[in-house]
């Protein structure tokens, strides 16, 4: 295998990272038949190109304009961290009576953690969120109409944004593919970006919830500035110093 060019090796590394959600230096070295140092060099190069983020002993893929993980994959990565973040986010509901819940796996977990002891109206573009909440019967569910995107099972396009634009929502729980201080909240698909932007506009309060791997990642379409957020909920895997830098832009940053 070691006769591959660096470019071929790196392409293979990205493919494995995207298929499995993470790569391990030792496993890659064995699989590719090269030294661990070679793999580390490859990962550094891929990180410079924004394709992966390195971790201790490996790397994970970064979502980008051309690549987005499916809901099925998201339901298998960082799950305990996502659960903690979702539970903490749901606790910010306050006296909100109408809530927007975004598409994605972490928002789905937020929906499941919402209080069931009082009347609540939940607006969502996500079929899994609507299905889960409608089954429990504790919230009144408004599903936004539109074209359904296969990977995320959420509705998009003008029908969705038109319906949203008629609402005034107390609180929106928003997810994103990337969050950075410079570029705010981003996502790869313009159609998804439109829906998210409209949800942010329609809501009095906006909370972003996401795991540490989202931070510093930048995707193709910006739909909100950091200053538009009331709170950011993430885990202690985001360094305190970095959390502080985000809080200087306005939102309360909660690490759980």
């Amino acid at each position: 295998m070691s006769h591959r060019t660096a470019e071929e090796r790196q392409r293979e590394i990205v493919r494995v990272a995207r298929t499995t959600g993470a790569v391990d230096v030792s496993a890659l070295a064995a699989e590719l038949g090269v030294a661990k140092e070679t793999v580390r060099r490859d990962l550094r190069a891929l990180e410079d190109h924004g394709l992966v983020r390195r971790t201790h002993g490996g790397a994970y893929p970064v979502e980008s304009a051309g690549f987005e993980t499916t809901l099925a994959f998201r339901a298998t990565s960082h799950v305990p961290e996502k659960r903690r973040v979702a539970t903490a986010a749901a606790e910010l509901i306050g006296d909100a009576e109408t809530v927007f819940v975004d598409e994605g796996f972490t928002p789905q977990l937020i929906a499941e953690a919402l209080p069931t002891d009082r009347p609540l109206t939940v607006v969502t573009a996500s079929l899994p969120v609507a299905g889960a909440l409608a089954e429990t019967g504790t919230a009144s569910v408004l599903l936004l109409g539109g074209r359904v995107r296969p990977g995320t099972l959420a509705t998009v396009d003008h029908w969705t944004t038109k319906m949203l634009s008629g609402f005034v929502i107390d609180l929106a729980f928003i997810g994103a593919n990337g969050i950075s201080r410079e570029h705010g909240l981003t996502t790869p698909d313009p159609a998804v970006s439109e829906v998210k932007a409209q949800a942010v506009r329609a809501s009095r309060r906006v909370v972003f919830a996401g795991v540490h791997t989202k931070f510093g990642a930048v995707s193709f379409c910006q739909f909100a500035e950091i200053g538009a957020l009331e709170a950011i909920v993430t885990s202690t895997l985001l360094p305190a110093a970095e959390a502080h830098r985000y809080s200087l832009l306005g939102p309360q940053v909660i690490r759980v």
Side-chain angles (χ1 to χ4, degrees), residues 29-230:
E31 193 183 322
L32 298 168
V34 292
K36 287 185 195 176
E37 192 37 56
T38 306
V39 173
R40 286 195 194 96
R41 202 163 50 235
D42 286 339
L43 291 177
R44 275 197 295 275
L46 290 169
E47 186 174 53
D48 290 343
H49 285 105
L51 292 166
V52 302
R53 185 76 51 78
R54 285 184 301 151
T55 57
H56 183 70
Y60 57 85
V62 170
E63 305 208 1
S64 64
F67 160 73
E68 185 182 21
T69 52
T70 63
L71 195 56
F73 164 67
R74 291 181 208 182
T76 63
S77 70
H78 306 290
V79 175
E81 185 186 356
K82 286 176 181 172
R83 254 183 225 295
R84 286 203 311 280
V85 167
T87 305
E91 285 167 5
L92 298 175
I93 188 162
D95 55 7
E97 290 169 15
T98 52
V99 175
F100 174 83
V101 177
D102 208 351
E103 58 165 67
F105 185 64
T106 302
Q108 206 171 310
L109 295 175
I110 294 173
E112 289 167 20
L114 289 173
T116 53
D117 56 352
R118 58 192 180 89
L120 204 57
T121 298
V122 177
V123 179
T124 187
S126 159
L127 273 66
V129 166
L133 288 175
E135 250 173 346
T136 64
T138 53
S140 166
V141 182
L142 271 172
L143 177 61
L144 301 168
R147 173 172 68 86
V148 178
R149 288 179 80 238
T152 54
L153 294 180
T155 54
V156 292
D157 292 342
H158 61 272
W159 305 279
T160 320
T161 50
K162 179 90 174 67
M163 189 172 168
L164 248 182
S165 67
F167 297 136
V168 178
I169 295 166
D170 294 331
L171 170 61
F173 290 109
I174 298 283
N177 297 71
I179 175 170
S180 73
R181 298 198 308 278
E182 195 183 347
H183 301 290
L185 303 181
T186 53
T187 193
D189 188 317
V192 174
S193 182
E194 286 292 314
V195 176
K196 290 177 186 284
Q198 187 61 57
V200 170
R201 279 197 293 274
S203 305
R204 302 175 204 256
R205 300 166 54 207
V206 182
V207 169
F208 167 78
V211 291
H212 71 291
T213 58
K214 306 270 187 184
F215 288 78
V218 179
S219 230
F220 181 49
C221 304
Q222 183 195 47
F223 63 88
E225 301 271 3
I226 302 299
L229 305 173
E230 174 185 281

